[in-house]
Amino acid sequence: MVSRQPMIEVRNLYKRFGNLEVLKGVSLSVGRGEVVVVIGPSGSGKSTLLRCLNYLETPDSGQIFLDGVEVDPKRNLRQVRQEMGMVFQSFNLFPHMKVLDNITLAPQKVRGTDKESAEKLALELLAKVGLADKAHSYPGELSGGQRQRVAIARALAMQPQVMLFDEPTSALDPEMIGEVLEVMKKLALEGSTMIVVTHEMGFAREVGDRVVFMDDGHIIEEGPPREVFSNPKQARTREFLSKIL
Amino acid sequence: MSFRWDLVWSSMPMLLQGARLTVQLTAIAVFFGVIIGTIAGIARLSKGPQKYIAAVYIDFIRGTPLLVQTFIVFYGLPGIIGQPIPAYTAAVLALSINSGAYVAEIVRAGIQAIDKGQTEAALSLGMTSAQTMRYIILPQAFRQILPPLGNEFIALLKDSSLVSVIALEELVRKGQIIIGRTFRPFEVWLAVALIYLVMTFSVSRIVDFLEKRVKNGV
Amino acid sequence: MKKTTALLITLLMMFAVTSTVLAQDVLKVATEAGFMPFEFVAEDGQLTGFDMDIIKAIGDKLGMKVQIDNISWDGLIPALQNKVYDALIAGITITPERAESVSFSDPYFESVLTIVVNQNNKDITSLDSLKGKIAAVQISTTGDFAAEEIEGLGSLLRYNTVPEAMQNVIMGTVHAMVVDLPVAEAYLAANPHAPLTHVGPVADNEFYGIAVHKENQELLAKINQALAEIKADGTYDAIYEKWFGAN
């Protein structure tokens, strides 16, 4: 972990859906190269927190900073989104395009990269996630685990500063979870800054630099995984962990 | 009176002439209708003044008879622009504008049927709304809306008979002319119906074929 | 018997008698009321015109009530053939082709075609002079058949009704309309501000007849008889003078 200014800083975020307050003043700091794993029961607001970072949800109040610059939906949202790659629970690959095109589309249309360079990078990334031979397949032909790995490659193709993972393995059959976690572990070891919302405690323990426990719109507790898992300070943390560990 | 098959056959050349005009008018109208409808459908889903303009257009056209719209274009519009509009142009205009409103609803439904996650993925990669629509949403929507678009084509094939009121000699009109001379309505209308059947059936088959091709390609 | 039952039975009998009596006496006629001054819809919504007066006069002579329906022009003969109506009176010209499908009464009016044009027109004076021009007609009328025969006619636009065809001459989408002369004169008189005129007789005289189903020779004979009577006793002349001035 580095001591320069945080890669991501969230200050006092509030978000409600109708009458339901989902984020009740959440503040968080993520350092460069840090892997932060966010855990908590459903409805705790952890996905909403993640989706506020790239403004897929619009916070009601609070501030978000990327590398020291405040995220302003009116002025720099597109640039911010280019620096934040997101991997979704339901993959969201573009079914009408080949795997290779899925990956090269945004670099070409958003960053203006030429086709050759985009494809070169895409093939490298596909090799990295172990799917070099699937470049010309369609998403429909792939298994869930393969699709998610392609989704990771697609997000990486924009060479973002931060990778956001929203329950990346929750929709996968158990036998495919491992292959995706392997890729994520690889990224972590390379020094990527990652925020991962997940239920995979093994991953949190092995790969996470910090675990953040959320409940009912608040961050209840955070710390190194070893500490939080073996020695939770808060009662609610204890309660949650006892149910899942 | 006995049924005269020979009249059915002898009417065919003239009726087929009319059918040609029917197909021509319908094809042109659907072509423009898809362009207008796509714009209106997207506008309908957007935020801003264009949303209300599109809504008014769609509601007005879907809420008034095509016959009335044809009369407005042919008899009403020249009053506003100060010069007559040829019947063929008026027919293309009226049919296209009519088709556009129905296509708009088809397109709107098709776009809304696309999973929200597709848009979220595109936006999260930094694409603009316009890029998302162009590369991600519309291509997928269009594959889905082939069947309803085909139905719109078939509906328009049949509705196009209305342009006979401005003296265009499409299929039904040709039938009327023959009856005005032979006084054998049953044989003539049967022949007309058969030709319509062939046209609409062909369109259905083509739509089915395109659907299969699209399914296999994706 | 209860009072109500007795009343009901009386009413039923009255209804049966009246309807049988009435049923025998109705002459069901169809026309297309877009043909001034022969048949058209007056401002009060009533069907009126020369033909309407003639057929009512014939009905009187026959001791029959005349019931007239206003339907589309090219639905007339098919409806007659299906026996929906007993007779048609609609400015229908007697032609050999039509006479193959229906029976016509003796002629009740002598007419002729004319060409309606813009009042500034100088070059359209006859059917042949329509070469290269756009002509409007009402579909399946003698005007339609005559225009069809013109060699080199620019194009022939067939409209459902006379007013629609006239409107197109006014609008300038067509150069001329070929139509029966009395009808042209009646429309021009009714629309004095329309920039139209007509060029006078352009073809041989034609005759209007009342159409009946070929199998209804009995009715045909009766109609011809009645027609002869109203011509003889001045009724016809009175009607003619009402619509066209002195004969």
Side-chain angles (χ1 to χ4, degrees):
Chain A
M1 268 203 284
V2 258
S3 56
R4 278 183 293 172
Q5 80 193 339
M7 176 63 79
I8 295 234
E9 192 175 342
V10 176
R11 287 187 202 157
N12 228 8
L13 217 57
Y14 282 84
K15 172 70 185 168
R16 58 159 19 111
F17 291 108
N19 282 335
L20 186 63
E21 219 181 348
V22 171
L23 293 177
K24 300 175 185 168
V26 173
S27 297
L28 179 69
S29 221
V30 179
R32 200 168 302 263
E34 198 182 352
V35 176
V36 171
V37 179
V38 183
I39 62 173
S42 46
S44 56
K46 45 194 207 299
S47 275
T48 309
L49 172 62
L50 203 71
R51 289 159 61 85
C52 281
L53 295 181
N54 63 359
Y55 267 79
L56 285 183
E57 306 290 354
T58 305
D60 296 323
S61 68
Q63 293 163 300
I64 300 170
F65 295 85
L66 174 66
D67 204 4
V69 177
E70 183 170 0
V71 178
D72 183 348
K74 292 194 201 59
R75 288 176 48 236
N76 60 8
L77 188 53
R78 266 195 76 198
Q79 291 89 299
V80 164
R81 284 175 171 165
Q82 291 173 45
E83 300 302 330
M84 293 192 195
M86 187 166 234
V87 177
F88 299 85
Q89 180 174 341
S90 48
F91 333 132
N92 292 338
L93 290 182
F94 307 135
H96 59 299
M97 300 167 72
K98 293 198 187 135
V99 162
L100 189 68
D101 299 322
N102 259 268
I103 302 175
T104 59
L105 180 68
Q108 285 183 73
K109 302 297 173 191
V110 180
R111 289 208 194 272
T113 315
D114 64 281
K115 188 164 176 202
E116 249 184 74
S117 315
E119 288 191 352
K120 184 158 169 281
L121 175 62
L123 290 168
E124 280 170 25
L125 290 170
L126 278 174
K128 185 182 199 142
V129 305
L131 290 170
D133 57 331
K134 297 288 185 190
H136 296 284
S137 305
Y138 282 92
E141 299 163 19
L142 304 180
S143 72
Q146 291 171 326
R147 288 184 207 175
Q148 193 62 300
R149 286 187 273 152
V150 170
I152 296 174
R154 180 178 66 177
L156 289 173
M158 290 295 285
Q159 300 173 297
Q161 296 197 48
V162 186
M163 283 289 279
L164 308 173
F165 293 83
D166 189 358
E167 301 208 33
T169 57
S170 296
L172 292 176
D173 288 340
E175 66 267 19
M176 293 191 246
I177 295 178
E179 64 198 58
V180 174
L181 292 180
E182 272 306 306
V183 170
M184 291 167 66
K185 184 170 163 187
K186 212 194 238 183
L187 290 177
L189 292 173
E190 287 173 3
S192 304
T193 312
M194 296 162 62
I195 307 177
V196 182
V197 171
T198 186
H199 296 297
E200 294 292 322
M201 300 304 157
F203 176 83
R205 233 199 290 256
E206 228 190 296
V207 183
D209 296 312
R210 187 168 22 130
V211 165
V212 171
F213 171 65
M214 278 186 75
D215 190 7
D216 194 32
H218 294 284
I219 292 181
I220 307 295
E221 192 171 336
E222 52 182 305
R226 216 171 327 135
E227 269 178 44
V228 176
F229 287 142
S230 3
N231 222 0
K233 296 191 184 70
Q234 302 292 330
R236 276 201 269 181
T237 321
R238 265 192 290 264
E239 219 186 292
F240 177 71
L241 290 175
S242 68
K243 293 205 186 96
I244 57 161
L245 284 178
Chain B
M1 278 185 204
S2 52
F3 186 83
R4 291 185 52 195
W5 275 108
D6 60 302
L7 266 176
V8 174
W9 299 132
S10 58
S11 310
M12 280 300 171
M14 194 162 162
L15 293 179
L16 287 173
Q17 236 187 350
R20 224 180 87 201
L21 182 63
T22 296
V23 172
Q24 214 182 70
L25 280 173
T26 307
I28 297 175
V30 170
F31 174 75
F32 285 120
V34 168
I35 296 175
I36 298 172
T38 304
I39 297 173
I42 295 177
R44 187 82 180 70
L45 290 172
S46 67
K47 294 183 183 60
Q50 70 271 16
K51 176 179 180 168
Y52 299 101
I53 299 174
V56 166
Y57 157 64
I58 294 170
D59 288 342
F60 179 81
I61 296 296
R62 283 161 53 106
T64 53
L66 174 58
L67 184 61
V68 172
Q69 294 162 18
T70 309
F71 283 141
I72 290 179
V73 171
F74 185 69
Y75 288 109
L77 213 46
I80 301 177
I81 65 172
Q83 72 169 6
I85 300 177
Y88 190 86
T89 311
V92 169
L93 255 173
L95 290 174
S96 302
I97 293 175
N98 183 276
S99 184
Y102 289 92
V103 171
E105 284 297 276
I106 294 172
V107 167
R108 184 186 61 76
I111 290 175
Q112 287 181 313
I114 303 295
D115 189 69
K116 211 172 128 213
Q118 293 288 300
T119 306
E120 289 186 348
L123 291 177
S124 74
L125 289 164
M127 291 169 71
T128 63
S129 296
Q131 289 172 323
T132 306
M133 186 60 71
R134 180 168 163 206
Y135 296 109
I136 307 303
I137 304 299
L138 280 182
Q140 290 186 65
F142 267 93
R143 273 152 229 257
Q144 307 285 63
I145 63 176
L146 272 177
L149 268 185
N151 288 339
E152 169 60 19
F153 195 104
I154 289 174
L156 206 60
L157 265 176
K158 295 181 284 179
D159 289 343
S160 65
S161 57
L162 281 169
V163 302
S164 58
V165 296
I166 53 177
L168 288 171
E169 288 182 7
E170 44 67 59
L171 178 53
V172 167
R173 192 50 146 200
K174 291 289 195 194
Q176 287 174 304
I177 294 170
I178 297 175
I179 292 172
R181 284 144 185 75
T182 62
F183 305 112
R184 305 282 306 203
F186 189 43
E187 286 87 343
V188 177
W189 289 130
L190 187 67
V192 168
L194 284 172
I195 297 178
Y196 269 112
L197 263 173
V198 169
M199 291 194 293
T200 55
F201 185 77
S202 309
V203 172
S204 293
R205 284 298 89 139
I206 293 175
V207 168
D208 286 348
F209 169 73
L210 285 174
E211 253 192 294
K212 287 201 177 70
R213 256 193 69 192
V214 156
K215 275 211 174 79
N216 293 333
V218 172
Chain C
M1 235 193 255
K2 282 216 183 126
K3 262 199 191 151
T4 19
T5 328
L7 183 60
L8 267 165
I9 292 180
T10 319
L11 281 171
L12 267 165
M13 283 174 64
M14 281 175 64
F15 179 74
V17 169
T18 343
S19 52
T20 349
V21 166
L22 286 176
Q24 288 168 329
D25 279 337
V26 176
L27 182 67
K28 287 180 291 183
V29 179
T31 188
E32 186 242 352
F35 211 57
M36 275 202 289
F38 297 97
E39 45 272 329
F40 59 103
V41 180
E43 270 170 30
D44 61 358
Q46 298 287 74
L47 280 179
T48 186
F50 178 83
D51 284 355
M52 303 294 95
D53 289 345
I54 294 285
I55 197 69
K56 281 179 200 158
I58 290 177
D60 284 342
K61 287 290 180 202
L62 295 178
M64 293 173 91
K65 186 169 178 299
V66 175
Q67 174 196 303
I68 309 174
D69 278 359
N70 177 15
I71 69 173
S72 72
W73 169 248
D74 49 329
L76 286 170
I77 291 185
L80 182 70
Q81 289 176 315
N82 287 336
K83 302 190 182 169
V84 179
Y85 298 103
D86 302 315
L88 307 175
I89 185 165
I92 306 175
T93 304
I94 301 170
T95 70
E97 293 83 17
R98 289 173 178 159
E100 284 178 31
S101 303
V102 301
S103 290
F104 282 106
S105 67
D106 298 328
Y108 70 88
F109 191 86
E110 189 172 345
S111 185
V112 70
L113 288 176
T114 183
I115 304 178
V116 174
V117 291
N118 187 290
Q119 59 197 19
N120 298 326
N121 156 73
K122 306 251 187 295
D123 49 354
I124 296 176
T125 53
S126 67
L127 285 173
D128 287 331
S129 67
L130 284 173
K131 191 171 169 152
K133 303 267 187 228
I134 306 171
V137 294
Q138 182 183 25
I139 187 175
S140 302
T141 57
T142 46
D144 184 350
F145 305 144
E148 224 181 3
E149 299 297 313
I150 302 173
E151 241 189 78
L153 177 68
S155 64
L156 178 55
L157 300 185
R158 298 176 166 98
Y159 291 91
N160 286 333
T161 66
V162 167
E164 279 175 303
M166 290 280 186
Q167 182 64 25
N168 277 274
V169 185
I170 296 175
M171 277 166 46
T173 47
V174 304
H175 295 112
M177 179 190 181
V178 182
V179 67
D180 301 36
L181 192 144
V183 176
E185 295 201 326
Y187 270 94
L188 293 181
N191 297 286
H193 299 294
L196 299 177
T197 182
H198 76 95
V199 304
V202 295
D204 295 335
N205 284 3
E206 44 185 76
F207 298 90
Y208 298 164
I210 298 169
V212 301
H213 198 287
K214 267 186 157 9
E215 291 168 15
N216 208 344
Q217 294 302 312
E218 191 189 318
L219 179 61
L220 185 64
K222 283 194 197 159
I223 289 179
N224 280 332
Q225 167 85 8
L227 196 51
E229 284 173 28
I230 64 172
K231 281 184 183 171
D233 70 5
T235 316
Y236 182 92
D237 290 337
I239 298 175
Y240 192 97
E241 190 171 331
K242 173 182 171 191
W243 293 101
F244 299 106
N247 201 339

